[in-house]
Amino acid sequence: MNSTGVEYSHDLQAEQSVLGAIFIKPDCLDDIGFLEPRDFAFERHQLIYKVMLYLYRSNNPVDIVTVTEHYKRRNRLEDLGSIQYIMELERSCPTASSVVHYANIVRSKALGRRGEEIGRQISELSRDNFESDEEYFSTIEEMVDELRPQEVSGMMSFEEMEADYMDHLEEQPEKMLSGFDQFDKWAQVWRGWLYIIAGRPSVGKTAKALQLGVGIARQRTEIDRILVDLKNAGVVAIFSQEMGRRELIDRIISNLSGVSYNRIINKGGEEGFTIEERTKIINAYEELKTLPIYIQDKAAVTIEEVRSTVRRLKKKHGKIAAIIVDYLQIMNIPQKSGERRDQAIGRVTQTAKQIARQMNCCFILLSQMTRDSENSEEPKLSHLKESGSIEQDADVVEFLWHDPDDTEQGGKVIQSVFAKGRNIGTNKFRYLFQGWLQRYKELEKKEVVRTERKNQWQKNRK
């Protein structure tokens, strides 16, 4: 009976048949590993099943004698009903060969009961006060997750895995183009990644992330010297916490159109935009309309809000390519009692990694760097602000930093240092950050530049 006096839906005979089958053939427990003690409607059946699992996993016999003896030693034999009842269980099973069928009936009934109970709990939540709607939604999602059966991973031999692995070899790698040619030739963006882009203020973290997002949405490459947009990789979801969507669009439009960012934010100045500028802006916006990019401009988002928003996008559009959150340290990150700030941030990065795996997308998370990084010749993982487990959870960490000794005309030279790269290793790139266009332009690597300058110097000496 539940708290309202309504009898739970259950199938007594199916529960008895499962337990009886185990008495007849204990090794059938291997075939019904998906069944949990809580799946049984009757408490004494839960207790009997728990003891059976304990005995079997301890390499002890599982029979009427060992089960009853287990409870006799604890003076709890009455919890099982009676010895006579246990003896009847074995006789109640028509055949042990159908135990999986009986177990599926038991689990199906259990899901119905748990659904009923969760429905009652959700109804009672209306009496509680939540700080935000997202906290309410998150609580409900946790309840629903409890409803799901616990998955039991099965061990498989190489023979059993062969067909699946051969199919895997024929599939295309789970990668996406970034729009940065040098990077794409080296690694590309992988689905399932937690990708951290870190830097001090004014290095252009947001500009790099936006250009990366457009590149992922485009999936554009050069084939026979012709730029071609490949198949849709899925939705790119951008969560902007510092800037409104109009400001973000200004930056993207400047990048794509080549119209000065300063001219765009000042609406072309006193005389307004020229006809050429306006045409470029309209053409750039027309292209953006064809790309699956979505923007939310809300301050202090929670990681659960990110998860639920992306879930809705996936349900509507079918596939997520990338999630971009700008940036980690200004998210709404509640701290539990006695929890340090870095530990709370660690919970966010762990969840972000889970979302990347569950959604089969790349989670791009922008992060600040510590002031100490300004005194270092090159950034290190320890320079991630409030790092905690950021470097541990991340698959890729890219640092953007300005080396004052490295200069080029037309903008600020930004060094891109991949300090961590799961499955891809580490690497370094150089970019010219054209702030007036909010654009990152690839440069030759520093080693290449040094070699060319050395060769030119030697040539001039001759």
Side-chain angles (χ1 to χ4, degrees):
M1 295 283 186
N2 63 16
S3 60
T4 61
V6 179
E7 185 176 3
Y8 285 135
S9 61
H10 59 263
D11 194 313
L12 173 63
Q13 188 175 5
E15 293 189 12
Q16 291 174 331
S17 295
V18 169
L19 299 175
I22 297 171
F23 279 134
I24 296 170
K25 188 182 177 183
D27 61 3
C28 73
L29 279 165
D30 294 329
D31 300 323
I32 59 172
F34 58 85
L35 200 61
E36 305 169 57
R38 65 173 182 161
D39 290 337
F40 291 87
F42 292 91
E43 185 177 0
R44 60 180 174 182
H45 290 169
Q46 293 177 10
L47 295 173
I48 293 170
Y49 187 65
K50 283 181 182 177
V51 175
M52 288 174 160
L53 288 174
Y54 169 77
L55 292 171
Y56 188 67
R57 291 168 180 171
S58 304
N59 293 318
N60 291 312
V62 181
D63 54 39
I64 294 172
V65 174
T66 55
V67 170
T68 54
E69 183 63 25
H70 182 87
Y71 278 94
K72 275 183 179 179
R73 288 200 304 269
R74 290 161 179 76
N75 296 318
R76 295 186 58 189
L77 189 58
E78 67 278 3
D79 292 344
L80 305 182
S82 67
I83 296 178
Q84 182 65 30
Y85 182 75
I86 296 177
M87 293 174 65
E88 288 175 358
L89 286 175
E90 185 173 344
R91 293 194 293 269
S92 69
C93 178
T95 171
S97 62
S98 300
V99 65
V100 175
H101 176 69
Y102 305 145
N104 279 323
I105 293 174
V106 172
R107 184 170 69 167
S108 178
K109 297 294 184 182
L111 291 177
R113 292 195 306 276
R114 290 203 285 274
E116 179 186 337
E117 178 63 18
I118 287 173
R120 183 185 62 79
Q121 292 175 6
I122 290 174
S123 177
E124 292 179 351
L125 285 180
S126 60
R127 303 189 188 99
D128 297 337
N129 293 321
F130 291 91
E131 292 184 4
S132 68
D133 291 343
E134 287 306 320
E135 184 181 351
Y136 173 72
F137 295 143
S138 178
T139 302
I140 292 177
E141 286 170 357
E142 288 176 7
M143 290 179 175
V144 174
D145 284 340
E146 283 296 313
L147 175 64
R148 301 180 187 278
Q150 296 175 359
E151 294 296 329
V152 179
S153 59
M155 296 292 289
M156 299 178 70
S157 69
F158 277 89
E159 183 176 358
E160 292 170 315
M161 294 185 290
E162 181 181 9
D164 177 71
Y165 183 71
M166 293 305 164
D167 289 341
H168 158 73
L169 291 178
E170 298 300 321
E171 295 172 352
Q172 291 297 314
E174 290 287 292
K175 300 178 185 179
M176 298 170 287
L177 296 172
S178 69
F180 293 98
D181 187 56
Q182 292 180 19
F183 174 79
D184 286 336
K185 287 177 179 176
W186 170 55
Q188 297 186 22
V189 177
W190 292 33
R191 293 185 184 274
W193 264 2
L194 173 56
Y195 180 169
I196 303 293
I197 299 178
R200 293 292 294 157
S202 79
V203 297
K205 294 189 298 294
T206 301
K208 175 72 188 295
L210 292 176
Q211 192 168 335
L212 180 60
V214 171
I216 292 172
R218 269 176 166 170
Q219 289 301 289
R220 179 173 294 176
T221 189
E222 187 175 298
I223 301 176
D224 296 331
R225 297 184 180 181
I226 299 175
L227 288 176
V228 177
D229 291 341
L230 302 181
K231 64 180 181 180
N232 180 13
V235 166
V236 175
I238 301 174
F239 293 82
S240 175
Q241 300 178 91
E242 277 195 312
M243 305 175 198
R245 64 179 182 274
R246 289 178 175 177
E247 186 177 350
L248 240 58
I249 296 171
D250 283 344
R251 290 169 178 251
I252 298 173
I253 291 292
S254 177
N255 180 299
L256 296 181
S257 69
V259 177
S260 164
Y261 177 60
N262 190 55
R263 296 252 326 146
I264 289 177
I265 62 177
N266 286 294
K267 316 301 188 250
E270 292 182 3
E271 296 180 358
F273 295 113
T274 66
I275 295 175
E276 182 183 3
E277 287 174 332
R278 191 172 295 277
T279 300
K280 288 180 178 179
I281 290 171
I282 291 173
N283 288 341
Y285 200 93
E286 286 300 312
E287 181 189 0
L288 284 174
K289 285 164 59 178
T290 69
L291 299 178
I293 300 175
Y294 292 80
I295 297 173
Q296 174 179 298
D297 58 347
K298 178 183 175 184
V301 297
T302 66
I303 191 64
E304 289 303 331
E305 183 177 353
V306 171
R307 190 208 300 266
S308 57
T309 301
V310 174
R311 275 178 177 166
R312 291 193 293 271
L313 282 173
K314 185 174 184 180
K315 184 179 294 185
K316 182 176 181 180
H317 301 281
K319 187 164 52 174
I320 303 297
I323 302 165
I324 300 175
V325 177
D326 184 11
Y327 58 92
L328 171 61
Q329 283 78 12
I330 59 172
M331 293 179 71
N332 181 359
I333 307 174
Q335 289 177 240
K336 298 179 180 178
S337 177
E339 186 179 46
R340 300 192 311 270
R341 167 74 174 175
D342 64 300
Q343 292 174 323
I345 285 181
R347 283 191 291 107
V348 172
T349 57
Q350 289 166 14
T351 305
K353 174 59 180 174
Q354 292 170 4
I355 293 171
R357 292 289 303 275
Q358 292 166 356
M359 301 288 180
N360 195 32
C361 67
C362 182
F363 198 122
I364 301 166
L365 188 56
L366 275 60
S367 175
Q368 289 181 329
M369 290 169 62
T370 62
R371 291 185 180 275
D372 294 342
S373 63
E374 296 177 349
N375 302 319
S376 178
E377 291 185 2
E378 190 171 288
K380 303 178 179 64
L381 291 173
S382 59
H383 290 146
L384 287 167
K385 189 170 183 180
E386 298 173 307
S387 60
S389 62
I390 299 176
E391 65 269 29
Q392 176 182 326
D393 297 326
D395 296 281
V396 171
V397 177
E398 178 187 17
F399 289 111
L400 301 175
W401 67 290
H402 173 54
D403 180 357
D405 295 329
D406 188 5
T407 58
E408 294 277 349
Q409 289 186 345
K412 180 190 293 185
V413 175
I414 300 296
Q415 313 293 331
S416 164
V417 178
F418 283 85
K420 178 181 180 180
R422 184 167 289 138
N423 295 329
I424 61 172
T426 57
N427 210 335
K428 298 178 184 179
F429 299 94
R430 295 171 71 240
Y431 294 98
L432 187 67
F433 178 43
Q434 300 170 313
W436 58 285
L437 291 177
Q438 292 296 298
R439 181 186 293 169
Y440 265 72
K441 180 182 178 181
E442 291 179 310
L443 297 173
E444 291 279 9
K445 287 193 173 186
K446 204 166 188 177
E447 293 79 4
V448 175
V449 173
R450 284 173 176 168
T451 301
E452 289 179 349
R453 287 177 178 170
K454 181 179 178 181
N455 292 340
Q456 186 63 43
W457 178 75
Q458 291 175 339
K459 183 179 178 181
N460 292 339
R461 286 188 63 187
K462 295 177 181 179

